[in-house]
Amino acid sequence: MDLPISNSDSSLEWSRCLAACVGTLGIGALLLFIFLIAVDPYDGGKFGLLGIDGVDDRNSFTAVASRARDTNFDSAIIGNSTAMLLDPVGLSQATGLRFVQLSVVGGTPAEELAVLDFFLRNHQRVGALVVVADPFWCVHAETEPPRPFPYWLYGKSSLAYAAHLFSWPALEHAFQRLSIGLGWRKRNNPTGVFKIEDMWPAGFREINRPLVPPPAATIAGRDIFPDVSLLDDVIRKLPANIAVVLAVPPTFYTTIPQPGSGAALEKQACNAALNRIVAGRPHSNFINYRLDNAMTRDRANFADFIHYRPDLATRMSEGIAASIELGNAARIDF
Amino acid sequence: MLFNDYPFLLVFLPAAILLYRLVDPYPQLRIVTLVLLSFAFYAYDNRPFILLLVLSILINWLAALAFARTRRKAIVTAAIVADLAVLGVFKYTNFIAYNLGLVLDRPIPHFDLALPLGISFFTFHHIMYLVDLRRGKAPFYPLPRYALYIAFFPQAIAGPLARWSEVMEQFGRKVYSPGWQREFCVGITFIFIGLFEKIFLGDRIAGIIDPVYARAAAGPVTNGDAWLALGFSIQILYDFAGYSDIAIGLGLLFGVKLPFNFNAPFRSTSIQDFWQRWHITLMTFLRDYVFFPLVNARILPRRFLPLQSNAAMVLTMALCGLWHGASWTFILWGTLHGCALVACALWRRYGWKLPSLLGWVLTVMFVLVTGVIFRAATLDAALNIFQGLAVPANLERGRHLLPLVIIPLMAFLLPASQDIVALLTRRPRPWLSALVGFGLLAILVELGERNVSGFAYFKF
């Protein structure tokens, strides 16, 4: 490209162009950043100067942060979509605690642990924790995460959080939050309650078979469940007055391992590991709802192989509430 | 380090500009600073291979020094052979071993060899200089200047393949001399356009067609999506032209005008025209250092010179294919283009003149179809795509396929990026520069999602 030789006048004009370009970029970036910091697009609590409450976000990966730090609640339901139908309002009424639903759709144990850690860091007083442990908790070796999860939103570092604010999704969330602040939009339900019709249509679809964790490489390795151990580490550090209920969610009966099979032994070992976490802990219990019975044989109780419908959720909630009151002496009617 | 990632754009580049601004008044520091910056750039995520790059520079420079003192051509020849051998070991060992295994009908173990980033490009830079040194066309240069020629960070990984004569004398130039502001505006505009091409055009198409190629690698594509695979040539145009434009822009920020690599290739009206507009610096290299020597070698009697010339064309393009990767798909792609160039030359000589529009349609169709062979992981995968073309295109995804309409139209209709930059920077217009700054801001926000994908030519 032929570039004309510049004289001093044109140098001055080109200096203005350069200043306009770099200035727009620099000042624009700065203003944008100030806006994002002021609004705190995900309501993660690390920033936010405008006092806007809640988010309007359908993505549970990011929406959970706002609820998890809400001090109007003292108890939490942790899990993935297999925990979503547990009604926090019903549990609150049954226990006298204040439950918030923190399920992450498609969440892995590592992601659920990040949410749990975030909830605990944001609450000085905790009443109870309900962790719904699906078969993903029962893998012996750590697996590759299926897709990126915003750990930066749930981590301790404000810097890492700030570094992820400069994006289109963050901007979109910021404008949504601004709209909430201005009263133009409604925030998500603060309890995080889900309606089944929002998630699954009527009828049973033969999809979402539960994970069958690969068997341990050695006999000794059969009792090693890295994610269960991490959960154990967290629970062990909690004061004894915090009730902890670990629940294995029901699945349609055809997917339950046959007694005596290798998969059944694996499941048994995992259940035992989960049980050990709460053994001897007051107001705490391990409940295995993955049973072959009339309820799990009824297709009407399931949307697919792993997602149960409200009737089962209500039964589960009853067991959970009873456990919070009576610990492992609770009668589980399932 | 990727040009389209935060570590480069927010840390390395501003730091490099600042550092060079500080050393600009000291001529003896300019080249050394750029060499060190280039090594840092290369080492950022290629730590094990920085030693290879440094050794490669040292050995080739010592060969040049020995030649300058003794005038013994064997030294330069040995250095070139060694360069090609190193390239061959890293790039073609497993390909040769696999095919040898097929010929001998016994398995040959797969070697765990990682391809050093940019090895094809810095090997070619060595060769260009050494061949011209042996021919007496190139002077001997001191080590820092030679090191910068090989490792200059805007071009080290994926070109443009600059001739030594195009850049050597530009290295170490005083950047902050009268008129630097315009050079910077031009450079920033190139970087903006390059990032735009890569992120908003190339990557958009990649997002649509990558799953199709993944499916083709596993089996037939029978749902009508095979048609989408034809978009690959457009994707790689914007991926590589984007990279080249960023490199050119970066060069300008450090006082070096790198050669252009693309000139609106999808506006070509013949395949010959296409190869004069696509990856121009590689084609110039192949023409001068492979094709001409093959044509000028006395292999066949003089009356068979046209035959030799055509064979040289096919062989050059087959080698061009092989240079892109150790796979039969690349060799087939190159050979097909070589044959097309020969056919085009013969048609020009013996056929009637084609209307430009017909020539354009034929050229574009040929490039899009052969692009499938280039992109497919195997010949079977390419065949799966071609068989899938028997099924009518699946347009169910509606507006999600819009990029595959709009972006090719841009490739067909818009002028080359250097012409667009020339138009935008013909005279100083602060509002336009502010717009470029705004565009860069939008790109930084886009990159904030961390969906950064590497440049296609990094693996060649």
Side-chain angles (χ1 to χ4, degrees):
Chain A
M1 188 172 17
D2 295 325
L3 302 175
I5 297 164
S6 306
N7 55 34
S8 57
D9 282 348
S10 71
S11 278
L12 194 66
E13 287 180 60
W14 283 112
S15 292
R16 284 196 195 114
C17 287
L18 195 56
C21 180
V22 177
T24 305
L25 175 60
I27 295 170
L30 189 70
L31 291 177
L32 203 59
F33 201 64
I34 291 169
F35 168 68
L36 289 163
I37 293 285
V39 174
D40 189 5
Y42 301 102
D43 195 17
K46 294 191 173 70
F47 305 111
L49 310 170
L50 305 180
I52 303 168
D53 279 332
V55 291
D56 176 20
D57 186 0
R58 292 181 68 85
N59 180 357
S60 65
F61 280 21
T62 45
V64 160
S66 173
R67 293 200 297 273
R69 70 181 200 86
D70 188 342
T71 48
N72 287 319
F73 304 102
D74 61 5
S75 303
I77 302 163
I78 305 285
N80 55 23
S81 60
T82 61
M84 278 168 57
L85 279 194
L86 295 179
D87 178 16
V89 180
L91 266 179
S92 301
Q93 285 165 353
T95 59
L97 298 166
R98 286 164 287 133
F99 269 93
V100 63
Q101 172 57 266
L102 299 181
S103 294
V104 175
V105 179
T108 63
E111 294 159 3
E112 293 160 31
L113 283 168
V115 172
L116 172 60
D117 182 55
F118 186 75
F119 174 80
L120 292 173
R121 274 189 282 121
N122 281 280
H123 290 80
Q124 287 188 330
R125 195 195 155 274
V126 176
L129 295 173
V130 175
V131 179
V132 177
D134 72 346
F136 280 93
W137 286 83
C138 299
V139 293
H140 294 286
E142 284 180 29
T143 50
E144 281 285 306
R147 64 273 152 307
F149 180 78
Y151 286 104
W152 46 267
L153 177 53
Y154 298 95
K156 291 176 185 169
S157 166
S158 298
L159 196 66
Y161 182 66
H164 283 85
L165 291 186
F166 215 65
S167 69
W168 294 122
L171 263 175
E172 191 187 336
H173 281 90
F175 282 110
Q176 282 176 359
R177 288 252 298 152
L178 201 62
S179 301
I180 292 169
L182 294 169
W184 297 344
R185 287 179 96 110
K186 272 180 74 179
R187 59 168 292 183
N188 287 356
N189 185 316
T191 63
V193 68
F194 285 94
K195 288 181 184 159
I196 188 154
E197 55 268 29
D198 289 346
M199 295 295 299
W200 299 292
F204 181 90
R205 289 192 299 162
E206 296 205 347
I207 55 168
N208 291 327
R209 284 186 178 275
L211 173 80
V212 180
T218 60
I219 301 281
R222 183 172 275 173
D223 291 327
I224 297 170
F225 301 97
D227 292 318
V228 175
S229 301
L230 290 172
L231 179 64
D232 191 20
D233 292 343
V234 176
I235 304 296
R236 210 173 283 279
K237 286 177 196 152
L238 296 177
N241 64 338
I242 298 178
V244 177
V245 178
L246 306 183
V248 174
T251 62
F252 191 58
Y253 81 104
T254 54
T255 64
I256 297 171
Q258 291 296 313
S261 65
L265 291 174
E266 289 283 342
K267 180 174 162 270
Q268 217 174 327
C270 184
N271 286 352
L274 287 165
N275 198 10
R276 278 194 293 276
I277 296 178
V278 288
R281 190 180 181 90
H283 301 286
S284 299
N285 200 6
F286 166 75
I287 315 170
N288 177 21
Y289 287 111
R290 199 179 178 193
L291 301 170
D292 180 358
N293 59 26
M295 281 181 283
T296 59
R297 281 177 174 256
D298 186 354
R299 282 178 173 244
N301 281 333
F302 288 90
D304 55 42
F305 287 115
I306 58 171
H307 295 114
Y308 46 88
R309 290 192 179 275
D311 282 356
L312 290 195
T314 306
R315 289 291 189 100
M316 288 173 70
S317 294
E318 286 166 3
I320 291 166
S323 297
I324 291 171
E325 190 185 349
L326 302 168
N328 60 7
R331 184 168 166 270
I332 307 300
D333 184 20
F334 194 80
Chain B
M1 207 179 288
L2 291 171
F3 288 165
N4 55 334
D5 202 1
Y6 277 178
F8 178 78
L9 292 169
L10 299 184
V11 181
F12 182 87
L13 183 58
I17 291 171
L18 188 68
L19 199 62
Y20 199 84
R21 178 70 191 91
L22 294 174
V23 302
D24 194 55
Y26 311 101
Q28 68 280 18
L29 291 180
R30 290 177 199 149
I31 288 181
V32 177
T33 304
L34 278 181
V35 170
L36 293 176
L37 282 170
S38 298
F39 285 164
F41 174 85
Y42 189 88
Y44 178 75
D45 41 18
N46 300 284
R47 219 158 290 166
F49 293 122
I50 182 69
L51 195 66
L52 178 75
L53 177 66
V54 172
L55 271 177
S56 152
I57 289 168
L58 263 179
I59 291 169
N60 281 282
W61 180 78
L62 285 171
L65 177 69
F67 174 78
R69 290 195 176 158
T70 62
R71 313 308 297 176
R72 289 175 66 177
K73 290 187 174 180
I75 297 169
V76 171
T77 307
I80 293 171
V81 169
D83 285 331
L84 291 173
V86 172
L87 179 66
V89 166
F90 278 108
K91 204 164 176 175
Y92 303 108
T93 300
N94 283 316
F95 177 66
I96 293 167
Y98 174 75
N99 286 288
L100 205 63
L102 288 181
V103 172
L104 300 176
D105 200 21
R106 67 174 130 141
I108 292 183
H110 182 88
F111 300 93
D112 193 15
L113 288 169
L115 186 68
L117 207 59
I119 188 168
S120 304
F121 287 89
F122 65 70
T123 301
F124 277 19
H125 276 116
H126 284 309
I127 291 173
M128 281 194 279
Y129 174 70
L130 291 176
V131 168
D132 285 357
L133 184 73
R134 194 178 57 180
R135 286 174 181 167
K137 290 180 180 171
F140 174 72
Y141 287 104
L143 180 60
R145 196 173 285 269
Y146 184 72
L148 189 55
Y149 172 57
I150 302 301
F152 185 44
F153 73 85
Q155 63 165 63
I157 311 289
L161 280 163
R163 290 275 187 95
W164 60 270
S165 53
E166 289 173 306
V167 291
M168 278 292 200
E169 296 306 324
Q170 296 188 63
F171 291 145
R173 228 182 54 173
K174 187 170 172 59
V175 170
Y176 296 91
S177 54
W180 70 270
Q181 297 92 337
R182 182 177 193 272
E183 299 267 332
F184 265 56
C185 284
V186 173
I188 291 170
T189 311
F190 262 115
I191 292 170
F192 165 63
I193 287 182
L195 286 169
F196 182 85
E197 288 173 310
K198 163 70 180 160
I199 296 162
F200 291 104
L201 307 182
D203 288 354
R204 283 284 185 279
I205 295 187
I208 298 171
I209 68 172
D210 282 353
V212 182
Y213 279 101
R215 227 176 310 148
V221 184
T222 52
N223 64 348
D225 277 356
W227 288 92
L228 310 181
L230 294 175
F232 171 71
S233 295
I234 307 287
Q235 181 222 327
I236 200 160
L237 164 73
Y238 282 120
D239 188 287
F240 193 32
Y243 177 89
S244 301
D245 286 336
I246 298 167
I248 289 165
L250 291 171
L252 288 172
L253 300 185
F254 295 92
V256 179
K257 282 179 196 160
L258 293 171
F260 301 134
N261 232 0
F262 290 87
N263 184 14
F266 278 101
R267 294 172 68 177
S268 310
T269 52
S270 73
I271 195 69
Q272 282 181 331
D273 188 18
F274 176 83
W275 278 110
Q276 283 162 10
R277 293 161 171 260
W278 179 283
H279 205 169
I280 297 165
T281 57
L282 175 68
M283 293 322 291
T284 311
F285 171 87
L286 291 172
R287 185 195 65 196
D288 293 350
Y289 296 92
V290 181
F291 177 68
F292 283 164
L294 283 173
V295 170
N296 294 332
R298 290 183 182 171
I299 299 168
L300 294 178
R302 198 161 178 77
R303 65 178 184 281
F304 292 121
L305 196 61
L307 181 64
Q308 184 178 330
S309 170
N310 290 337
M313 178 64 74
V314 176
L315 184 62
T316 303
M317 291 308 290
L319 286 172
C320 171
L322 187 62
W323 173 83
H324 280 89
S327 160
W328 288 107
T329 52
F330 289 117
I331 297 172
L332 177 62
W333 170 83
T335 308
L336 285 173
H337 273 269
C339 292
L341 284 166
V342 170
C344 183
L346 293 175
W347 184 274
R348 282 202 166 173
R349 192 159 176 185
Y350 301 109
W352 66 89
K353 189 172 169 19
L354 282 182
S356 295
L357 187 64
L358 182 59
W360 174 78
V361 170
L362 289 174
T363 306
V364 168
M365 278 173 56
F366 179 77
V367 172
L368 296 187
V369 169
T370 51
V372 172
I373 300 167
F374 186 97
R375 170 65 176 79
T378 59
L379 290 174
D380 284 341
L383 208 61
N384 285 336
I385 300 269
F386 290 136
Q387 283 171 346
L389 296 180
V391 181
N394 173 12
L395 303 174
E396 275 174 16
R397 277 187 283 166
R399 66 186 177 88
H400 295 291
L401 300 179
L402 221 51
L404 273 176
V405 176
I406 294 169
I407 299 171
L409 277 176
M410 291 172 76
F412 300 154
L413 299 174
L414 289 180
S417 46
Q418 56 269 23
D419 295 330
I420 296 173
V421 173
L423 197 71
L424 294 176
T425 56
R426 202 169 43 191
R427 58 192 169 83
R429 280 171 289 194
W431 65 269
L432 203 53
S433 300
L435 218 56
V436 170
F438 191 76
L440 282 169
L441 179 62
I443 283 170
L444 287 181
V445 174
E446 175 74 16
L447 292 176
E449 286 180 58
R450 305 290 194 277
N451 296 328
V452 175
S453 59
F455 289 91
Y457 262 70
F458 276 29
K459 60 177 179 275
F460 300 143

